[in-house]
Amino acid sequence: MNQDEMKKAAAEAALEYVESGMVVGIGTGSTANHFIDLLAGMKGKIDGTVASSEASAERLKGHGIRVMDLNSAGQLSLYVDGADESNRHLHLIKGGGGALTREKIVAGASDKFVCIADGSKLVDVLGTFPLPIEVIPMARSLVAREMVKLGGQPVLREGFTTDNGNIILDVHNLQIMEPEKMETAINQIPGVVTVGIFAHRGADVLILGTPDGVNKIEA
Ligand code: 5RP
């Protein structure tokens, strides 16, 4: 099984969390795309979806799946999304696709967050994957200096603008030993819109596609 097949297997296993009449929160990225494509096969069962990015909204609409505004949908029962890294406490790094702000909003509005990934995303300590931070453009160098003080090496994601009109700094060389504390500390820096650590609201279930089948870890 290659990495993409493992992502698809994880996405398939997440379908069991979808119940009749639900409005489902939908993440962003290649694993979430598998989930969207599989959800199309049962679109008559759900009431609709809330997308965490313009890209996912377009893909959902392409399948004829209803996409709703979060403000009209209210609290969601289920959010399904991928991740760039997860530890065993289901604290995550997200934002490799740059959709972290809307992902954090939809995750925060959902009762259950089912994270789907291939097995390579499970790590002991978060931070090998460069930590994405969405930043208001005028705060770029301030946030970068503050991240250097926290031990990281920030790199501007060149040629990339988020769905919210902001920039992304990818911060290398962090060893995130205390994800909740680090999330709080970075959130305090003026100009930070969202940090890609999802620890205060991590996943509730992690479904990992592996060469030996699908593994599930529950928080
Ligand atoms: C997008 C994300 C994605 O969930 C993350 O980058 C994983 O992507 P993929 O499923 O393509 O490996 O956080 O902002």
Side-chain angles (χ1 to χ4, degrees):
M1 234 195 231
N2 65 31
Q3 193 182 24
D4 194 57
E5 288 166 338
M6 291 189 268
K7 289 180 179 191
K8 188 172 177 186
E12 202 158 10
L15 289 177
E16 74 167 90
Y17 292 89
V18 178
E19 291 173 15
S20 290
M22 271 184 170
V23 177
V24 183
I26 307 285
T28 301
S30 56
T31 319
N33 281 346
H34 280 304
F35 182 73
I36 292 170
D37 297 346
L38 291 161
L39 193 65
M42 56 194 288
K43 65 182 176 193
K45 185 175 175 180
I46 57 170
D47 248 21
T49 58
V50 171
S52 64
S53 63
E54 301 294 344
S56 290
E58 284 314 305
R59 197 175 185 100
L60 286 158
K61 287 178 194 162
H63 283 298
I65 300 174
R66 180 182 181 206
V67 180
M68 299 168 69
D69 174 69
L70 181 62
N71 291 312
S72 4
Q75 184 74 10
L76 306 179
S77 315
L78 176 66
Y79 179 54
V80 180
D81 193 4
D84 299 301
E85 282 184 349
S86 175
N87 66 19
R88 279 160 217 286
H89 303 288
L90 310 196
H91 301 145
L92 313 172
I93 285 185
K94 290 187 45 56
L100 62 164
T101 296
R102 296 188 188 191
E103 291 172 342
K104 203 174 260 198
I105 292 168
V106 183
S110 300
D111 295 337
K112 181 168 278 208
F113 177 1
V114 174
C115 183
I116 51 179
D118 68 89
S120 71
K121 305 285 183 78
L122 184 64
V123 298
D124 290 327
V125 177
L126 299 177
T128 302
F129 188 92
L131 176 65
I133 305 179
E134 180 166 352
V135 175
I136 300 281
M138 77 168 282
R140 183 192 70 229
S141 66
L142 166 63
V143 175
R145 287 194 298 279
E146 293 299 316
M147 289 312 301
V148 169
K149 286 185 202 161
L150 290 173
Q153 262 193 308
V155 176
L156 176 67
R157 197 177 293 184
E158 292 285 351
F160 186 86
T161 305
T162 69
D163 283 349
N164 315 304
N166 298 311
I167 58 162
I168 298 276
L169 291 175
D170 291 303
V171 186
H172 296 247
N173 295 337
L174 290 173
Q175 272 222 318
I176 305 173
M177 306 303 289
E178 295 178 294
E180 291 191 359
K181 275 194 188 164
M182 184 70 105
E183 184 179 7
T184 301
I186 297 172
N187 275 334
Q188 301 307 314
I189 304 171
V192 167
V193 177
T194 302
V195 55
I197 301 173
F198 286 51
H200 288 288
R201 204 288 178 251
D204 299 302
V205 182
L206 174 64
I207 301 178
L208 292 172
T210 77
D212 305 321
V214 163
N215 292 339
K216 207 186 278 187
I217 303 176
E218 306 220 12

